[in-house]
Amino acid sequence: MYTIAIHGGAGAVTKQTILEEEDPKFRAGLKAALHKASGILKNNGTAVDAVEAAVKCLEDNPLFNAGKGAVYTKKGIHELDASIMDGSNLQAGAVAGVRNVKNPISFARAVMEKSGHVLLSGKGANDFALKMKVEMESDDYFYTKQRYDQWLKVRHTDFYHLDHITEEMPERKFGTVGAVALDKHGNVAAATSTGGMINKQFGRIGDSPIIGAGVYANNKTCAISCTGHGELFMRAVAAYDVSCLMEYKNLSLHDAMQKVVNEKLKAMHAEGGMIGVDAKGNVSLVFNAQGMHRGSIDAKGVEYVALYGDE
Amino acid sequence: MYTIAIHGGAGAVTKQTILEEEDPKFRAGLKAALHKASGILKNNGTAVDAVEAAVKCLEDNPLFNAGKGAVYTKKGIHELDASIMDGSNLQAGAVAGVRNVKNPISFARAVMEKSGHVLLSGKGANDFALKMKVEMESDDYFYTKQRYDQWLKVRHTDFYHLDHITEEMPERKFGTVGAVALDKHGNVAAATSTGGMINKQFGRIGDSPIIGAGVYANNKTCAISCTGHGELFMRAVAAYDVSCLMEYKNLSLHDAMQKVVNEKLKAMHAEGGMIGVDAKGNVSLVFNAQGMHRGSIDAKGVEYVALYGDE
């Protein structure tokens, strides 16, 4: 038995905000990531390998705000955040504000396995990337016309996050990607990666690279990857809260995620969602926004891919 | 009724590792911070004001590894981390890897109140410090002979953290300072500040600026500030775990802290400690190391200052 779930961000994902020709492209991107990960899990691969592979696939896809498709900061560069956690031993690795790293999730894994640390940031983290011979790309690689045009519209403003639909920024979506998996060995893992908020400045770090906020994994409870208004997810310690509700209150995975996303985060006006698996084979995809790019293959092998709220 | 507790780091704090003439200086430093904070609380000040003032006091004291007394990184500079959280509204602010900021805790408070963000890092954070007119100091200000000599001994090695007593580094102590308070209005707050690990590199961030790991505050449960092996406290989401054990399992402040520090963290070989207060007026100081620089004024006004394990 194995399970995998992925997301590509939550927000104002509706048939009005997504162009008709883009809809199948998003679905194809999600499917490709799901299949990559399930192939690994089917062949007795580890949950850590599977979530890394799924997130890598989404990072390489320019449609998603992570890796190649990352948004631009106020200064017109790309600052990438990612994290990974292994539920079998509570090992974790994360990077924040790194540049020119092709696959931040693989770099986060190198931090977990080879640095003796959990979180490396900024220029110093890039020094470690070079030491680890992590695959790097030029600034050009991260250019996408859509993201560049988005940034051109707001670069002269202090507008930085996507919490209101405005004329400048009609598409309100928290661009983050993530994956959670249960492997045949009974281990769970979680991974999250993002380019952060468009036009962000001041070295802002959101929830994606924060263990307990944007990512968490523990065989005893669950593996969680979040997407949403990062500041609020950090203050809510959202991912670990799900785990605590399961461990200390005996809630099911789904009930714990519902409580955090649709009660606690909602009360804080925190828009977003999360995906989760547990060691029993349960999968849950929960969001309080209009939609969430998401997909899963459950313990029975049933595949599911969706974008909008009513699918 | 009000309470305040502070710490100045945990580790191999014994009568053998602290020079006889240093003992009273550490105690005087802790007392000064306690009195500063209790003066504010007595005069109806807020818990946020009190924890900021206490930590500022410890940051300005060269004996403690935070602010002026911060340790040197591998590159011979000072990279400072700090965080603050207001239990009345779950607002939080934090900075990581900032340079030349005289009082990182006050900067973290400016992030909480004026940035719209929770965590700012590195050079970008310094841009925000300038914009906020945060008080800056030259590199010279952060020079202390003791820290410089410590660094000279290890700068050519990859030795970076203080988890083993070695010939190069006989003093094993996790240098972090922190404060937690309950004010007369019934609100709690927590603050943590550090210079991090001696000889750290690669933009390493520990638990101190991470909401839920090194700091947490919530009127419903408690306010917590941690000190210890940061990587393990992050993986354990230590501060928020205390809050969850209180909220979801109805443990008392003291029992929840004991469970996290002396069971869960100990099982991970995570040396350190934490201080906590709750909204009922309870205060607790718990550590699994040989000692912890610590002090408190409880709800009855009883003052306590100690360094070693058996005090």
Side-chain angles (χ1 to χ4, degrees):
Chain A
M1 181 180 72
Y2 62 87
T3 62
I4 172 84
I6 60 170
H7 71 79
V13 181
T14 67
K15 280 171 193 161
Q16 286 72 52
T17 56
I18 292 192
L19 297 175
E20 208 176 314
E21 66 268 27
E22 280 190 334
D23 175 306
K25 290 183 195 167
F26 278 118
R27 290 175 199 268
L30 292 167
K31 269 184 199 171
L34 270 182
H35 293 167
K36 187 88 190 173
S38 67
I40 291 168
L41 294 166
K42 197 175 175 180
N43 291 312
N44 301 308
T46 68
V48 170
D49 281 340
V51 295
E52 181 192 359
V55 167
K56 238 174 126 168
C57 213
L58 296 166
E59 284 176 343
D60 291 343
N61 187 330
L63 285 175
F64 299 99
N65 175 19
K68 178 160 176 50
V71 297
Y72 287 78
T73 69
K74 177 93 173 166
K75 290 185 178 169
I77 59 175
H78 302 90
E79 291 180 347
L80 312 170
D81 303 337
S83 61
I84 192 163
M85 188 158 184
D86 181 343
S88 71
N89 54 19
L90 305 185
Q91 295 277 4
V95 295
V98 297
R99 296 187 57 187
N100 301 103
V101 172
K102 188 186 179 200
N103 290 111
I105 197 63
S106 301
F107 184 25
R109 185 170 179 177
V111 170
M112 173 169 80
E113 294 175 347
K114 294 168 189 164
S115 74
H117 297 302
V118 168
L119 176 56
L120 302 184
S121 66
K123 223 191 141 311
N126 269 77
D127 292 345
F128 187 69
L130 294 175
K131 195 177 168 184
M132 289 293 111
K133 298 191 171 59
V134 164
E135 194 174 358
M136 306 298 281
E137 287 288 353
S138 67
D139 288 344
D140 291 349
Y141 170 81
F142 297 94
Y143 169 85
T144 55
K145 187 175 182 317
Q146 187 210 357
R147 298 299 187 199
Y148 189 74
D149 290 347
Q150 276 181 334
W151 171 66
L152 283 184
K153 283 185 195 158
V154 295
R155 61 181 290 199
H156 295 299
T157 71
D158 271 335
F159 176 90
Y160 56 84
H161 58 70
L162 312 183
D163 59 347
H164 295 289
I165 295 177
T166 64
E167 267 183 46
E168 289 80 21
M169 190 67 58
E171 181 209 6
R172 179 184 61 175
K173 180 164 124 5
F174 298 101
T176 303
V177 307
V180 291
L182 164 69
D183 64 29
K184 288 184 178 176
H185 318 286
N187 297 320
V188 299
T192 306
S193 180
T194 188
M197 285 173 164
I198 298 176
N199 216 37
K200 71 182 175 185
Q201 53 184 334
F202 304 134
R204 178 257 182 190
I205 299 176
D207 65 317
S208 298
I210 307 299
I211 309 309
V215 76
Y216 187 72
N218 187 337
N219 280 1
K220 276 170 73 178
T221 52
C222 59
I224 299 286
S225 171
C226 300
T227 171
H229 192 149
E231 277 68 15
L232 296 162
F233 279 64
M234 293 164 87
R235 288 166 49 200
V237 201
Y240 189 57
D241 202 19
V242 173
S243 176
C244 288
L245 285 164
M246 293 177 69
E247 184 175 356
Y248 302 144
K249 288 212 80 128
N250 292 315
L251 262 59
S252 69
L253 173 72
H254 185 72
D255 288 351
M257 287 172 68
Q258 281 290 351
K259 186 161 186 77
V260 172
V261 174
N262 281 315
E263 291 178 34
K264 296 179 84 168
L265 285 168
K266 213 169 190 174
M268 294 172 84
H269 306 287
E271 195 179 50
M274 54 173 68
I275 55 172
V277 298
D278 65 21
K280 294 178 203 151
N282 295 302
V283 179
S284 196
L285 318 166
V286 177
F287 51 98
N288 62 28
Q290 287 172 285
M292 179 164 80
H293 295 186
R294 62 202 186 277
S296 61
I297 297 175
D298 69 18
K300 290 175 185 155
V302 178
E303 188 175 313
Y304 167 74
V305 169
L307 306 181
Y308 313 116
D310 55 0
E311 289 186 79
Chain B
M1 180 179 72
Y2 62 87
T3 63
I4 171 85
I6 59 170
H7 71 78
V13 181
T14 67
K15 279 171 192 161
Q16 285 72 51
T17 57
I18 292 192
L19 298 175
E20 207 176 313
E21 66 267 28
E22 281 190 334
D23 176 307
K25 289 183 195 167
F26 278 119
R27 290 175 199 269
L30 292 167
K31 268 184 199 169
L34 271 182
H35 293 167
K36 188 88 192 171
S38 66
I40 290 168
L41 294 166
K42 197 176 177 178
N43 291 313
N44 300 309
T46 68
V48 171
D49 281 340
V51 294
E52 181 192 359
V55 167
K56 238 175 127 169
C57 212
L58 296 166
E59 284 177 342
D60 292 342
N61 186 330
L63 286 174
F64 299 99
N65 175 19
K68 178 161 175 54
V71 297
Y72 287 78
T73 70
K74 177 92 173 164
K75 290 186 178 169
I77 58 176
H78 303 90
E79 292 179 348
L80 312 171
D81 303 336
S83 61
I84 191 163
M85 189 158 183
D86 181 342
S88 72
N89 55 18
L90 305 186
Q91 295 277 4
V95 294
V98 297
R99 297 187 56 188
N100 301 102
V101 172
K102 187 184 180 201
N103 290 110
I105 198 62
S106 301
F107 184 25
R109 184 170 180 177
V111 170
M112 172 168 82
E113 293 175 347
K114 292 168 191 165
S115 74
H117 296 302
V118 167
L119 175 56
L120 302 183
S121 65
K123 222 191 140 314
N126 269 78
D127 294 343
F128 188 69
L130 293 176
K131 195 178 168 183
M132 290 292 112
K133 298 190 170 63
V134 165
E135 194 174 358
M136 306 299 281
E137 286 288 353
S138 67
D139 288 345
D140 292 348
Y141 170 81
F142 296 93
Y143 168 85
T144 54
K145 188 175 182 319
Q146 186 209 0
R147 299 297 186 199
Y148 189 74
D149 290 347
Q150 277 181 336
W151 172 67
L152 284 184
K153 283 184 196 159
V154 293
R155 60 181 291 200
H156 295 299
T157 71
D158 271 336
F159 177 90
Y160 57 84
H161 59 70
L162 311 183
D163 59 348
H164 295 290
I165 296 178
T166 65
E167 268 183 43
E168 289 80 20
M169 189 67 58
E171 182 208 6
R172 180 184 58 175
K173 181 163 121 10
F174 297 102
T176 303
V177 307
V180 290
L182 164 69
D183 65 28
K184 287 184 178 176
H185 317 286
N187 297 320
V188 299
T192 306
S193 180
T194 189
M197 286 175 164
I198 298 177
N199 216 36
K200 71 181 174 186
Q201 53 183 334
F202 305 133
R204 178 258 182 187
I205 298 176
D207 65 318
S208 299
I210 307 298
I211 309 310
V215 75
Y216 188 73
N218 187 337
N219 280 0
K220 276 170 74 177
T221 52
C222 59
I224 299 287
S225 171
C226 300
T227 170
H229 192 147
E231 277 70 14
L232 296 162
F233 279 63
M234 291 163 89
R235 289 166 49 200
V237 201
Y240 189 57
D241 203 18
V242 173
S243 176
C244 287
L245 283 163
M246 294 177 69
E247 184 174 357
Y248 302 144
K249 287 211 78 127
N250 293 314
L251 262 60
S252 70
L253 174 72
H254 185 72
D255 289 351
M257 287 171 67
Q258 280 290 351
K259 184 157 187 79
V260 172
V261 174
N262 281 315
E263 291 179 33
K264 297 180 83 170
L265 286 168
K266 213 169 190 173
M268 295 171 83
H269 306 286
E271 194 178 53
M274 55 173 68
I275 55 172
V277 298
D278 66 20
K280 293 176 205 153
N282 296 302
V283 178
S284 195
L285 317 167
V286 177
F287 51 98
N288 61 27
Q290 287 172 283
M292 178 165 81
H293 295 185
R294 63 202 184 276
S296 61
I297 298 175
D298 69 17
K300 289 174 186 155
V302 178
E303 188 175 313
Y304 168 74
V305 168
L307 307 181
Y308 313 117
D310 54 359
E311 288 185 79

